[in-house]
Amino acid sequence: ARITRSSMLEVISQDYIKTARSKGLGEFWVVCKHAFKNALTPLLTVLGMQISMMLGGAVLTETIFSWPGMGRLIVDAIDKRDFVVVQGTVLFIAVIFVLVNLFVDVMYKVVNPRVNYSSSKGGTK
């Protein structure tokens, strides 16, 4: 909520928001269509990082509270030296991590079409 608030406050003070208001657009459309859409980029970054941290925190939480899950499975496999299970679960968590980051990158482009992923060094045009 704090990230969204600070991002919205920053976007609301921009010139294009003032222009949209001066054109006579309603406050709802100015906030929803123009301001919130441009304020989503930092929020997407934070959400992507939080989901990644939750994957890592699952190991600790499930171990402490003895909840069944992927984190508990990894700890039990390490205790039993079952390296195949450890490799499989770590690979699964890594794939989920990569997919979350890919989803966040795709959402950047959806939210802000001006985002450019091409390299500026040595690339051909």
Side-chain angles (χ1 to χ4, degrees):
R2 286 186 297 159
I3 299 291
T4 306
R5 181 184 182 275
S6 66
S7 183
M8 284 292 287
L9 288 175
E10 183 179 327
V11 169
I12 291 283
S13 65
Q14 297 292 323
D15 289 337
Y16 62 89
I17 298 295
K18 294 174 186 171
T19 303
R21 285 182 178 143
S22 67
K23 286 183 177 181
L25 284 177
E27 189 67 20
F28 176 79
W29 292 112
V30 170
V31 169
C32 288
K33 186 165 174 122
H34 296 286
F36 187 66
K37 186 174 180 183
N38 288 301
L40 270 179
T41 306
L43 184 63
L44 284 173
T45 303
V46 170
L47 287 176
M49 290 187 329
Q50 288 297 322
I51 291 172
S52 300
M53 286 184 200
M54 283 192 300
L55 286 172
V59 175
L60 182 65
T61 304
E62 292 172 2
T63 303
I64 289 174
F65 294 109
S66 296
W67 291 343
M70 191 72 72
R72 181 72 181 181
L73 177 65
I74 291 174
V75 172
D76 288 343
I78 291 171
D79 286 341
K80 295 175 185 171
R81 300 193 191 283
D82 190 359
F83 296 118
V84 175
V85 174
V86 173
Q87 287 176 343
T89 52
V90 168
L91 180 66
F92 180 76
I93 289 174
V95 167
I96 296 298
F97 182 83
V98 168
L99 289 176
V100 166
N101 284 319
L102 176 67
F103 178 74
V104 168
D105 285 344
V106 169
M107 289 307 295
Y108 281 158
K109 189 69 173 172
V110 169
V111 169
N112 189 357
R114 295 175 292 170
V115 172
N116 188 6
Y117 291 120
S118 64
S119 175
S120 61
K121 295 181 181 180
T124 58
K125 294 183 180 182

